[in-house]
Amino acid sequence: ATGFHVHRGVLASFHRKPLPSADEVLAAARRVVVLEDVNNHTNLGAIFRGAAALGVDAVLLSPTCADPLYRRSVRVSMGEVFAVPYAKLDRWPEGLDQVRAAGFTVLAMTPAPDAVPMQRLTPAQRERAALLLGAEGPGLTAAAQAASDVRVVIPMRRGVDSLNVAAAAAVAFWELGREDAL
């Protein structure tokens, strides 16, 4: 018991609209984020919020990602999971070919020392960017990195090897959109 009268029953019920296809989402987007195995609902919600705030048009999820409509994801996103279009890529990592076929450059985020620093991406690589991020801890699988076009890194200082996936996403979103006219 909490000492308070807290309602723990059903507060609302709704039917989910069918998700759009990945092709529909890609056709309407200029910049997307693709998530592999992101199962932490807090990180997922924070990525949606960062996407909405920093100019990312849509989110694509690998088959093993958490549900964006899970209560914690909705709360952390401040409701942006309802505003940012998202879809699932049914085949993984083969679905990245579908992203590329839609005209996107797949940018795999990794702390690897041989990755291209994000600020050195060419205008062509930035034009229609699909930023690929992996789960907290393990990061992207080798198969997902191999299916990407360019491996990119946010340069770190003071011996720090990486950032939380949601923090890395926000920095990368800002970097990709920093020259957008507001």
Side-chain angles (χ1 to χ4, degrees):
T2 62
F4 299 97
H5 296 289
V6 178
H7 178 71
R8 294 183 185 259
V10 175
L11 297 176
S13 175
F14 61 94
H15 293 282
R16 288 182 185 224
K17 295 188 318 185
L19 284 181
S21 71
D23 285 334
E24 289 174 274
V25 167
L26 289 165
R30 178 175 160 234
R31 192 175 296 131
V32 300
V33 61
V34 184
L35 304 177
E36 179 186 46
D37 299 340
V38 175
N39 286 304
N40 179 295
H41 294 100
T42 301
N43 285 334
L44 188 62
I47 290 169
F48 268 84
R49 188 170 183 194
L54 299 168
V56 173
D57 302 312
V59 178
L60 295 173
L61 307 169
S62 75
T64 54
C65 280
D67 181 4
L69 298 186
Y70 183 77
R71 180 180 49 149
R72 179 85 178 137
S73 296
V74 171
R75 187 169 58 224
V76 172
S77 78
M78 299 295 290
E80 295 299 342
V81 296
F82 300 118
V84 176
Y86 70 94
K88 292 192 177 188
L89 290 169
D90 296 323
R91 298 177 311 114
W92 191 260
E94 298 81 9
L96 294 173
D97 292 336
Q98 183 179 0
V99 176
R100 190 175 299 99
F104 289 84
T105 301
V106 180
L107 308 174
M109 293 282 301
T110 175
D114 63 340
V116 175
M118 287 212 60
Q119 63 269 41
R120 293 198 186 132
L121 288 169
T122 67
Q125 291 169 325
R126 293 168 176 272
E127 182 61 30
R128 293 202 59 191
L131 188 69
L132 177 58
L133 293 150
E136 186 83 21
L140 290 172
T141 61
Q145 288 188 53
S148 72
D149 297 310
V150 183
R151 293 166 65 241
V152 296
V153 63
I154 298 169
M156 299 283 122
R157 295 184 174 96
R158 296 190 180 152
V160 175
D161 66 342
S162 64
L163 296 172
N164 160 281
V165 67
V171 170
F173 297 163
W174 182 86
E175 171 60 28
L176 288 173
R178 70 184 158 85
E179 294 182 14
D180 291 353
L182 294 177

